[in-house]
Amino acid sequence: MKALVFAAGLGTRLRPLTDSIPKALVEVGGVPVLERVIRTLAASGVEEVVVTAHHFADKIETFLSSRDFGVKLALSAEPGPEPLETGGGMRNASALLKGSPLFLAHNADILSNADLRAFAESWQEGDLASLVLEDKAAERMLLFDSQMRLAGWTNTSTGEVRSPFPGLDPSQCRAFSFCGIHLVSEEIFALMEGWPCRFGIIDFYLSVCRKRTIRGYVPGGLRVFDIGTPESLEEAQKAYSSTR
């Protein structure tokens, strides 16, 4: 299986750390977070990893060539003045991902104890994507029906609801936080035709979930660290300081 790691983000919330390095190379427990993600993917049976890059792309490229990760590596550099976001970045990497009926997509700033082998084995034929979810309250939540099929999105602070299903009632749905880890069918690329250069993958999933199944997967005992803020980075440092 191939994997796509999103490492093109600017990491503005981690400044001044990210004034000189990309967020993906910020260290957690003395190890760059990108290295932790790639080694986790390799240990889970992934044979080829495609890494997106934009902010300090040259440093990402140099890092990837600096050590042996035990997998084949490819860089998907994103053109233009801004990163292409997760949806645009995925489509930009399509030529490197094709040939693998399924690929695993993983944010570079997410660390977790998710069993990725078990996740891959949970795949249901005919689905377009499957998302690792955390049963944790958050401001922005994904909404699923009783069969764990994506039905919408809500902002719990404002009450805003987005869904292709008219009149969707969040109180009748199951709400979860998305962890930035997903399995994706290569069929997705044909459905992305006509989308702009830059777009978020959740926007895309919401647009197609009425016609194609985007399934939720909730592992037991899941622990997730999103190192996007100084506070969450500090929490991850404490958890990983003894696992160098």
Side-chain angles (χ1 to χ4, degrees):
M1 182 184 289
K2 295 183 180 182
L4 175 67
V5 177
F6 296 108
L10 300 177
T12 54
R13 293 179 297 172
L14 286 179
R15 286 175 175 164
L17 277 177
T18 50
D19 284 339
S20 57
I21 60 171
K23 179 169 60 172
L25 296 187
V26 170
E27 293 189 353
V28 173
V31 179
V33 65
L34 178 59
E35 178 171 351
R36 288 192 179 275
V37 170
I38 293 175
R39 294 199 183 281
T40 295
L41 293 168
S44 302
V46 169
E47 298 174 340
E48 183 173 343
V49 177
V50 178
V51 180
T52 71
H54 183 277
H55 184 55
F56 292 121
D58 57 330
K59 295 190 176 183
I60 295 282
E61 184 173 21
T62 298
F63 174 75
L64 294 177
S65 63
S66 69
R67 58 201 72 188
D68 181 8
F69 292 98
V71 294
K72 182 179 179 181
L73 296 171
L75 186 75
S76 178
E78 298 185 359
E82 297 179 289
L84 298 178
E85 300 186 34
T86 46
M90 182 182 291
R91 184 175 58 186
N92 187 63
S94 61
L96 298 170
L97 293 167
K98 286 180 178 178
S100 179
L102 287 180
F103 61 92
L104 186 64
H106 199 300
N107 289 5
D109 57 359
I110 293 293
L111 298 174
S112 80
N113 63 348
D115 184 337
L116 299 183
R117 286 184 184 271
F119 176 44
E121 291 169 0
S122 75
W123 178 260
Q124 296 189 37
E125 215 50 51
D127 288 356
L128 184 66
S130 180
L131 318 183
V132 175
L133 307 172
E134 189 176 13
D135 192 3
K136 178 182 178 181
E139 184 177 69
R140 297 168 183 171
M141 307 281 284
L142 293 179
L143 303 172
F144 293 81
D145 67 15
S146 60
Q147 302 301 311
M148 289 303 292
R149 296 171 298 202
L150 181 65
W153 171 97
T154 186
N155 184 313
T156 58
S157 296
T158 66
E160 178 188 359
V161 176
R162 292 168 51 203
S163 172
F165 300 96
L168 182 74
D169 183 355
S171 70
Q172 301 301 309
C173 299
R174 304 179 66 185
F176 297 92
S177 298
F178 176 45
C179 298
I181 305 170
H182 32 149
L183 273 170
V184 186
S185 166
E186 69 170 351
E187 295 176 15
I188 200 169
F189 296 120
L191 299 174
M192 287 178 168
E193 292 182 6
W195 278 69
C197 292
R198 299 178 69 242
F199 63 95
I201 195 61
I202 294 300
D203 291 334
F204 174 81
Y205 286 154
L206 289 171
S207 78
V208 300
C209 68
R210 189 169 185 171
K211 296 181 179 180
R212 294 297 302 269
T213 298
I214 312 297
R215 197 171 302 278
Y217 176 81
V218 187
L222 181 65
R223 191 177 187 192
V224 178
F225 296 96
D226 178 347
I227 68 158
T229 66
E231 295 77 18
S232 56
L233 175 59
E234 183 179 359
E235 187 179 357
Q237 296 283 19
K238 293 176 181 176
Y240 283 85
S241 60
S242 60
T243 59
R244 291 186 59 175

